């Protein structure tokens, strides 16, 4: 009947028979007879499926019913298993694997009393079998055995590390055992692990010497697993400090493993997180204990800095030339990790770290006997820069010396030059406090600007200096502008660096006197204006389009930072240096007025092109944002131009610029007429667009909704204009709530959240809401009912909350009527659930967060997701 059941399980097409057979066989496997029939099923004349069932039954008996086996049968069982394993070594692999699993189970159950040398006995069996057994150990250790109970296993795995065939599997087994979360509880077992880990040092040294990367990697993983997972527990054992220090030194050896990452070694990067962990643990002790450990570990961390800076060094130029671009990128990321580690170590070592770096750099640069390699200098500077970028070095007494040393560096190479630039950039705030030192480094930066290979580092450094030190740069301004102009004309930098360079010049010019600004702007911009005039006359084609966008981009980046009224300055530091407020028009406005007609001419030819229109709008948008009220003289012209643009071909960028103007100028009586006219024009053009079908323009609808919300926020009077069709605007908003694009729906919700509170104060708004509010409510409920993305529910909840707060008497009628409709807003919710939800909403008029929770609950019910795993992270 056993064979019959197996036959049914494997070959019977009838699924019910299969299930019955499965049940019966499961019971058979755990019955006392299983000991007997398992061996019969393993006969070599049986098919593999049947043999597999026999091997599985054995494993189940050994692993779960061990106590049923009399002790005097252990040996027989063991020798039978070995015999079968040998027999199956050339037979079916799946049966062999199962038998090895059974043997591993047997070994676990018999160790240490009944079979103390289990692992050694298995060493004599073929490699495949040893690997299988060790893999079982590795996975069980992960699953169920407390660390103290698997000491034998771990010892066995340590022994197996000597066998090249077993090495990888043994590493996994040891790492799994050490990394168990509950291991912290068994400190004595952890302490017992240190000697065998330290015992691997010889094997590690030999592997490193012979270039065996796999072995050194595996041993390093073991040392790091012990150190990283248990540093706190091991540090706590103060009397064992020497053995833990020995482990730390072993990890230090792995950090400093010879060779260049990632080409000749991949091990050092595994150790970096260990140093964070150790430092955190030391700094978390109470003061007395911390003082002891600081004494032991400060020297270790100073050594770590040396090791990391050695690892960060570039290889020789010749060697680096052979690296692939992927290897170079991996090395770059590795250096960033080193940089982060150094920054962190600064917390432990403090100012002394900067002093030691400075001393080393000074010795390198002043030692005439032994000229150093550029790699060595670069790495020390890189270390300095890593710290200076994030730590306030303004109080460091070594920075003046460093700034003095920088010009002495003979820059023979791109990587070194880059690091010099980034170091100067990292010190730009310090330079602002010590302006007398600017002249030491500025010539280096200006010289580097002319080198396309140093594009990113030189331009970003100049930008930092112009931003931080602008009040001290007037004496150098003419020079900076001249060099920048020359570089821009030569077109040696990529687009984004050209834009940064313009921002740098904007910062620089902001600190000059008005006539100086105008003079510089004139010389800077004239060549571009001439180019633009030529381009405006040409017939549009793809290449002149790129040139136009580039020039417009340069102008808008210049105007982004050119701010003579210093809206952006942080008030404390620059209060003293504030320049007197200038009289007369703002230089940016002067320039904009000069080029206004030219820009209009360009626009007239490119109105169909969204990118060109966007670039034109960007110039004005950046200027408006920076100049704020100073932009006022431009408002009438710009409103007129925007109106013409938008009426010809509606584009989102024009609405966004209109929104900026409404935001800044709508509440000023003098500017209200042109802005009101523009707002009404944009609205009527967009309403026409809605009649034609707005679905193809979600970006325009999105921007329009944001414009309406801004108008209601800054100047609700705009909704009192007799020629504004408030009802049509309201209906467009309702339509927009049903768009598939989430940003558009979000913007529409924002519009209604601004509109509903105005019901009382603006009669046309109140009237429209009272007449059409039910349509809005229905659209919101449809969205909640499943039509809109779940991520938008908070925005819909805001509308419900506003309706309840500002139109309560209407809402109670509307919600009742809407919910009476069958299957609305979803067929999945019952009338009771709808009634509960309606009551909850109507009751909650104070706590918006509660309304959001109710909407989330209700939307899950409507979508049939309530209580499912899918909502667990919601």
């Amino acid at each position: 009947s056993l064979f019959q059941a197996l036959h049914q399980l494997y070959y019977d097409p009838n699924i019910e028979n299969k299930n019955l057979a499965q049940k019966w066989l499961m019971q058979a496997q755990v019955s006392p007879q299983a000991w007997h029939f398992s061996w019969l099923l393993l006969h070599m004349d049986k098919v593999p499926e049947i043999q597999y069932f026999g091997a599985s039954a054995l494993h189940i008996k050994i692993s779960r019913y061990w106590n049923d086996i009399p002790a005097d049968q252990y040996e027989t069982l063991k020798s039978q298993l070995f015999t079968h394993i040998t027999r199956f070594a050339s037979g079916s692999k799946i049966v062999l694997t199962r038998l090895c699993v059974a043997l591993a189970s047997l070994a676990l159950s018999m160790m240490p009393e009944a079979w103390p040398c289990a692992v050694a006995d298995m060493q004599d069996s073929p490699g495949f079998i040893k690997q299988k057994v060790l893999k079982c150990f590795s996975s069980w250790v992960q699953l169920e055995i407390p660390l103290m109970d698997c000491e034998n296993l771990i010892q066995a795995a340590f022994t197996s590390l000597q066998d090249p065939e077993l090495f990888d599997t043994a590493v996994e087994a040891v790492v799994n055992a050490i990394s168990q979360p509950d291991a912290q509880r068994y400190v004595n077992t952890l302490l017992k692990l240190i000697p065998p880990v330290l015992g691997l040092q010889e094997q590690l040294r030999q592997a490193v010497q012979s270039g065996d990367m796999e072995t050194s990697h595996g041993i390093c993983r073991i040392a790091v697993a012990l150190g990283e997972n248990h540093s706190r527990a091991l540090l706590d054992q103060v009397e064992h400090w020497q053995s833990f220090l020995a482990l730390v030194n072993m990890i230090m050896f792995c950090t400093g493993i010879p060779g260049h990452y990632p080409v000749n070694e991949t091990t050092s990067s595994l150790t970096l997180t260990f140093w964070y962990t150790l430092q955190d643990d030391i700094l978390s002790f109470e003061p007395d204990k911390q003082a002891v450990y600081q004494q032991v570990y400060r020297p270790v961390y100073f050594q770590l800095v040396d090791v990391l800076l050695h690892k960060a060094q570039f290889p020789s130029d010749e060697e680096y030339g052979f690296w692939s671009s992927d290897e170079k990128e991996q090395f770059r990321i590795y250096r960033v990790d080193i940089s982060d580690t150094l920054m962190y170590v600064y917390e432990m070592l403090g100012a002394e770290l900067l002093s030691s770096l400075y001393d080393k750099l000074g010795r390198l640069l002043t030692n005439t006997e032994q000229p150093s390699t550029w790699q060595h200098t670069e790495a020390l500077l890189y270390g300095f820069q890593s710290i200076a970028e994030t730590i306030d070095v303004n109080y460091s007494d070594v920075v003046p010396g460093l700034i003095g040393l920088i010009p002495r560096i003979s820059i023979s190479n791109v990587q070194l030059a880059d690091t010099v630039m980034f170091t100067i950039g990292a010190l730009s705030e310090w330079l602002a406090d010590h302006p007398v030192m600017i002249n030491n480094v500025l010539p280096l930066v200006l010289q580097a600007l002319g080198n396309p290979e140093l594009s990113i580092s030189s331009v970003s450094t100049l930008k930092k200096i112009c931003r931080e030190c602008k009040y001290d740069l007037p004496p150098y301004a003419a020079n900076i502008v001249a060099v920048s102009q020359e570089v821009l004309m030569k077109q040696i930098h990529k687009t984004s660096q050209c834009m940064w360079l313009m921002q740098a010049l904007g910062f620089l010019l902001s600190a000059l006197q008005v006539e100086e600004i105008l003079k510089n702007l004139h010389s800077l911009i004239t060549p571009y204006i001439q180019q633009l005039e030529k381009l405006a006359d040409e017939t549009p084609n793809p290449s002149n389009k790129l040139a136009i966008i580039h020039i417009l981009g340069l102008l808008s980046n210049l105007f982004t930072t050119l701010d003579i009224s210093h809206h952006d300055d942080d008030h404390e530091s620059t209060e003293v240096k504030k320049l007197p407020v200038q009289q007369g028009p703002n230089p940016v406005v002067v320039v904009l007025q000069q080029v206004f007609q030219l820009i209009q001419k360009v626009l007239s030819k490119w109105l169909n092109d969204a990118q060109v229109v966007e670039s034109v709008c960007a110039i004005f948008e950046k200027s408006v944002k920076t100049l704020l009220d100073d932009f006022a003289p431009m408002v009438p012209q710009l409103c007129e131009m925007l109106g013409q643009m938008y009426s010809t071909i509606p584009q989102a960028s024009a609405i966004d610029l209109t929104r900026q103007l409404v935001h800044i100028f709508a509440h000023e009586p003098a500017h209200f007429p042109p802005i009101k006219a523009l707002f009404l024009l944009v609205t009527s053009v967009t309403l026409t667009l809605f009649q034609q079908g707005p679905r193809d323009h979600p970006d325009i609808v999105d921007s329009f909704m944001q414009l309406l919300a801004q108008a209601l926020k800054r100047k609700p009077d705009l909704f009192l204009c007799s020629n504004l069709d408030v009802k049509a605007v309201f209906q467009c908003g309702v339509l927009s709530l049903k768009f598939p694009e989430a940003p558009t729906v979000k913007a529409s919700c924002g519009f209604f959240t601004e509109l509903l509170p105005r019901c009382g104060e603006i009669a046309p708004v109140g009237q429209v809401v009272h007449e059409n509010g039910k349509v809005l409510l229905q659209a919101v409920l449809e969205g909640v009912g499943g039509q809109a993305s779940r991520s938008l529910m908070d925005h819909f909840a805001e509308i419900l909350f506003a309706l309840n707060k500002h139109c309560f008497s209407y809402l109670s009628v509307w919600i009742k009527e809407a919910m009476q409709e069958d299957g609305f807003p979803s067929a999945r919710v019952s009338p009771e659930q709808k009634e509960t939800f309606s009551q909850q909403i109507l009751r909650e008029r104070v706590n918006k967060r509660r309304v959001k929770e109710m909407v989330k609950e209700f939307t899950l019910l409507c979508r049939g997701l309530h209580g499912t795993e899918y909502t667990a992270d919601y």
Side-chain angles (χ1 to χ4, degrees):
S1 65
L2 179 68
F3 290 107
Q4 204 180 345
L6 281 165
H7 194 276
Q8 266 183 336
L9 176 66
Y10 290 123
Y11 308 113
D12 193 325
N14 181 325
I15 202 80
E16 283 184 16
N17 293 350
K18 268 190 193 299
N19 290 342
L20 282 169
Q22 170 100 25
K23 271 197 180 136
W24 188 87
L25 287 164
M26 298 274 286
Q27 287 166 323
Q29 270 185 320
V30 302
S31 69
Q33 289 80 16
W35 287 114
H36 177 62
F37 71 66
S38 298
W39 302 108
L40 292 177
L41 297 179
L42 281 164
H43 276 193
M44 296 314 274
D45 59 351
K46 301 284 183 281
V47 291
E49 289 88 344
I50 287 180
Q51 295 169 333
Y52 180 80
F53 185 81
S56 293
L58 273 177
H59 173 232
I60 287 174
K61 294 304 283 184
I62 294 171
S63 57
R64 294 200 212 147
Y65 300 96
W66 178 247
N67 294 334
D68 296 356
I69 311 173
D72 57 2
Q73 284 181 27
Y74 290 173
E75 283 305 314
T76 324
L77 184 54
K78 186 166 80 179
S79 64
Q80 270 182 302
L81 263 176
F82 268 119
T83 309
H84 277 80
I85 284 176
T86 317
R87 203 175 287 158
F88 274 94
S90 56
S92 162
K93 280 278 191 277
I94 60 163
V95 182
L96 176 61
T97 300
R98 220 63 215 131
L99 288 169
C100 289
V101 172
L103 179 64
S105 253
L106 181 77
L108 272 183
S109 305
M110 290 174 69
M111 286 195 313
E113 292 80 15
W115 190 8
C117 50
V119 177
D121 288 356
M122 289 180 208
Q123 298 288 7
D124 304 331
S125 41
F128 175 80
I129 297 163
K130 287 188 286 197
Q131 277 198 343
K132 279 288 164 210
V133 174
L134 202 55
K135 274 205 170 114
C136 300
F137 286 177
S138 172
S139 51
W140 283 327
V141 160
Q142 244 177 324
L143 293 175
E144 52 216 339
I145 308 172
L147 189 64
M148 56 193 300
D149 297 347
C150 60
E151 278 184 38
N152 289 307
L153 283 187
I154 297 172
Q155 293 306 333
F158 271 113
T159 315
S160 309
L161 286 168
Q162 306 306 319
D163 181 335
E165 275 183 280
L166 294 185
F167 182 79
D168 291 347
T169 318
V171 167
E172 291 305 326
V174 174
V175 169
N176 284 344
I178 289 174
S179 310
Q180 278 190 74
D182 73 335
Q184 309 277 7
R185 304 212 307 270
Y186 308 110
V187 176
N188 288 334
T189 308
L190 282 177
L191 289 167
K192 279 186 206 160
L193 288 174
I194 296 182
V197 172
L198 295 174
L200 297 169
Q201 289 183 95
E202 195 38 50
Q203 194 181 351
L204 174 62
R205 276 203 191 89
Q206 284 168 1
V208 168
Q209 253 167 350
S210 63
D212 173 358
M213 279 162 76
E214 279 172 39
T215 302
S216 48
H217 201 78
I219 293 175
C220 171
R221 280 185 61 201
I222 291 173
V224 168
L226 183 57
E228 204 175 309
N229 287 296
H230 309 298
S231 64
R232 174 79 207 209
L234 293 168
L235 282 169
D236 261 331
Q237 305 302 306
V238 182
E239 63 281 15
H240 295 281
W241 69 274
Q242 280 161 310
S243 67
F244 185 58
L245 182 58
L247 176 70
V248 172
N249 285 325
M250 180 177 177
I251 295 175
M252 181 77 80
F253 176 79
C254 296
T255 304
I257 214 156
H260 284 292
Y261 182 93
V263 178
N264 335 89
E265 65 92 6
T266 52
T267 300
S268 56
S269 63
L270 298 180
T271 63
L272 296 179
T273 45
F274 163 74
W275 298 109
Y276 285 97
T277 311
L278 177 62
Q279 178 176 318
D280 278 348
D281 289 334
I282 291 171
L283 297 179
S284 70
F285 283 123
E286 66 279 7
D288 297 351
K289 200 167 181 180
Q290 190 179 315
V292 174
Y293 276 119
Q294 286 263 17
Q295 228 173 342
V296 176
Y297 283 100
R298 270 177 76 85
V300 173
Y301 273 89
F302 274 112
Q303 186 195 345
L304 173 67
V305 171
D306 290 344
V307 168
L308 289 176
L309 290 178
H310 181 71
K311 293 297 293 181
Q313 282 187 29
F314 279 88
S316 71
D317 295 334
E318 190 187 359
E319 201 182 325
Y320 193 62
F322 285 113
W323 284 20
S324 70
S325 57
D326 185 50
E327 286 166 340
K328 288 178 177 172
E329 177 58 9
Q330 283 190 47
F331 181 58
R332 186 191 68 77
I333 294 169
Y334 173 69
R335 279 177 42 110
V336 172
D337 292 340
I338 286 179
S339 173
D340 292 345
T341 313
L342 290 171
M343 195 179 83
Y344 205 76
V345 167
Y346 181 84
E347 269 187 68
M348 177 112 161
L349 302 180
E352 208 181 319
L353 170 53
L354 288 177
S355 310
S356 93
L357 289 176
Y358 170 64
D359 291 343
K360 289 191 174 102
L361 193 61
R363 279 202 296 278
L364 263 194
L365 294 175
T366 50
N367 184 348
T368 42
E369 330 277 272
Q370 285 172 299
S372 60
T373 61
W374 72 263
Q375 285 90 339
H376 202 157
T377 308
E378 190 280 335
L380 281 170
L381 260 190
Y382 183 70
F384 215 101
Q385 171 218 324
S386 301
I387 295 162
E389 257 177 342
T390 40
I391 277 122
D392 180 3
V393 290
N394 279 5
Y395 307 105
S396 164
D397 48 2
V398 301
V399 177
L402 177 69
I403 297 264
L405 280 176
I406 285 178
R408 303 184 61 153
I409 298 173
S410 64
I411 299 180
S412 51
N413 155 291
V414 172
Q415 283 91 4
L416 174 59
D418 259 336
T419 302
V420 168
M421 283 303 115
F422 285 128
T423 306
I424 295 172
L427 296 172
S428 54
E429 286 185 41
W430 185 90
L431 286 169
D433 289 343
H434 306 83
V436 55
M437 305 296 273
I438 291 175
N439 205 25
N440 273 33
V441 290
L442 187 60
L444 292 174
V445 181
L446 294 178
Q447 192 187 343
L449 274 186
N451 183 345
E453 291 187 284
L454 304 179
S455 186
I456 292 179
S457 59
S458 62
V459 175
S460 66
T461 296
L462 182 66
K463 184 176 155 183
K464 280 183 176 170
I465 291 176
C466 289
R467 187 181 64 215
E468 300 301 335
C469 314
K470 61 181 171 193
Y471 297 108
D472 306 296
L473 293 179
Y476 313 103
N479 195 7
I480 296 174
V481 172
V483 173
S484 304
Q485 240 178 311
E486 189 188 344
V487 164
L488 285 166
M489 282 297 131
K490 282 188 190 156
Q491 299 185 318
I492 60 172
H493 295 299
K494 291 205 172 90
T495 305
S496 50
Q497 277 70 55
C498 295
M499 301 307 159
W500 292 356
L501 191 48
M502 278 301 203
Q503 290 179 19
L505 295 173
F507 285 126
L508 174 76
L509 298 184
S510 302
L512 304 180
Q513 298 298 325
V514 169
E515 51 279 13
E516 281 296 302
I517 299 178
L518 281 168
K519 208 165 71 189
N520 280 298
L521 273 180
H522 185 72
S523 69
L524 197 57
I525 291 176
T526 304
Y528 293 112
I529 300 304
Q530 288 164 350
Q531 272 178 317
L532 200 56
E533 280 170 341
K534 261 214 323 263
L535 292 163
D537 289 331
E538 292 174 16
T539 314
N541 68 52
S543 76
N544 60 23
K545 169 179 161 172
L546 284 177
I548 288 173
I549 288 178
H550 183 74
I551 293 174
L552 296 174
L554 290 174
L555 295 179
S556 58
N557 276 282
L558 177 64
F559 298 156
T560 302
T561 53
L562 211 178
D563 171 21
I564 60 168
S565 38
H566 311 297
H567 296 108
D568 288 343
D569 285 347
D570 90 42
H571 291 297
E572 296 148 296
S573 62
T574 52
E575 207 53 69
V576 201
K577 300 178 174 175
K578 268 281 165 68
L579 301 175
V581 175
Q582 266 100 5
Q583 297 310 308
N586 184 296
V588 174
V589 174
V590 174
V591 172
L592 282 176
Q593 282 175 327
Q594 286 166 357
V595 299
F596 198 80
Q597 272 168 318
L598 173 59
I599 289 177
Q600 274 184 303
K601 185 174 176 184
V602 170
L603 253 187
S604 64
K605 284 210 175 164
W606 289 90
L607 256 184
N608 296 355
D609 192 294
Q611 285 172 294
V612 174
V613 171
E614 218 168 286
S615 305
V616 167
C617 290
I619 288 190
F620 293 106
E621 197 178 355
K622 300 274 171 71
S623 311
V624 171
K625 274 186 177 164
T626 312
L627 300 180
L628 302 173
D629 303 337
D630 288 357
F631 188 83
M634 295 289 303
V635 170
Q637 280 164 290
L638 185 58
C639 286
E640 194 182 339
M641 181 174 99
L642 272 177
Q644 288 164 352
M645 270 165 67
Y646 194 72
S647 334
T648 320
I649 294 177
Q651 298 196 24
S653 47
I655 307 189
D656 295 334
L657 181 48
T658 304
R659 186 176 85 239
Q660 277 291 329
L661 292 172
V662 166
H663 175 61
I664 295 170
F665 296 107
H667 58 291
E668 293 185 18
H671 305 303
F672 187 61
I675 291 204
K676 171 178 151 183
L678 175 63
F679 175 75
L680 291 172
L681 180 69
V682 168
T683 303
S684 79
V685 172
T686 313
L687 292 178
T688 313
L689 190 78
F690 263 90
Q691 285 161 355
Q692 294 158 355
R695 269 294 158 87
D696 300 338
H697 309 285
D699 55 335
I700 291 184
V701 175
D702 180 345
S703 295
F704 181 56
M705 290 296 139
Q706 292 189 51
L707 169 65
L708 295 172
Q710 183 69 267
L712 285 160
K713 243 189 221 157
R714 298 294 285 183
K715 192 69 178 164
D717 297 5
L718 285 166
F719 278 72
L720 288 168
C721 303
S722 55
N723 41 357
L724 178 73
D725 188 341
V726 179
K727 182 177 177 181
V729 167
F730 186 91
Q731 286 165 331
C732 290
V734 174
L735 260 181
S736 314
L737 282 178
K738 302 180 184 187
F739 265 50
E741 292 81 7
T744 307
V745 180
K746 189 175 155 188
S748 318
C749 291
F751 160 59
F752 284 116
T753 315
E754 288 295 335
L755 182 86
L756 294 166
R758 309 269 185 257
C759 276
E761 64 195 75
I762 300 176
V765 170
Q767 189 183 345
V768 167
V769 170
H770 301 157
E771 288 168 12
N772 301 272
K774 187 179 169 187
V775 191
L776 168 64
L777 176 69
Q778 280 169 319
V780 169
L781 291 174
E782 267 171 35
V784 174
Q787 293 300 307
S789 151
R790 271 168 55 201
S791 63
L792 293 163
M793 289 308 115
D794 279 357
H795 302 287
F796 282 119
E798 300 245 2
I799 299 183
L800 285 173
F801 185 72
L803 277 169
N804 198 24
K805 202 166 173 177
H806 303 286
C807 324
F808 177 72
S809 54
Y810 290 95
L811 179 65
S812 45
V813 179
W814 294 334
I815 201 164
K816 197 172 180 178
E817 289 173 4
M819 291 294 203
Q820 267 167 355
E821 192 186 321
D822 271 352
F824 181 88
S826 154
R828 291 195 176 93
V829 281
S830 65
E832 295 74 35
Q833 288 170 320
K834 294 202 278 191
E835 174 60 22
T836 308
F837 174 66
S838 307
Q839 289 310 316
Q840 282 180 322
I841 291 292
L842 292 168
R843 269 202 300 273
E844 189 51 82
R845 301 181 66 184
V846 184
N847 188 337
K848 196 186 292 178
R849 194 177 50 82
R850 279 287 303 123
V851 175
K852 289 180 178 176
E853 282 163 16
M854 293 165 194
V855 169
K856 274 183 188 165
E857 284 288 302
F858 189 63
T859 199
L860 292 176
L861 287 171
C862 290
R863 294 164 199 260
L865 295 173
H866 205 272
T868 60
E869 238 177 280
Y870 181 53
T871 64
D873 58 342
Y874 188 51

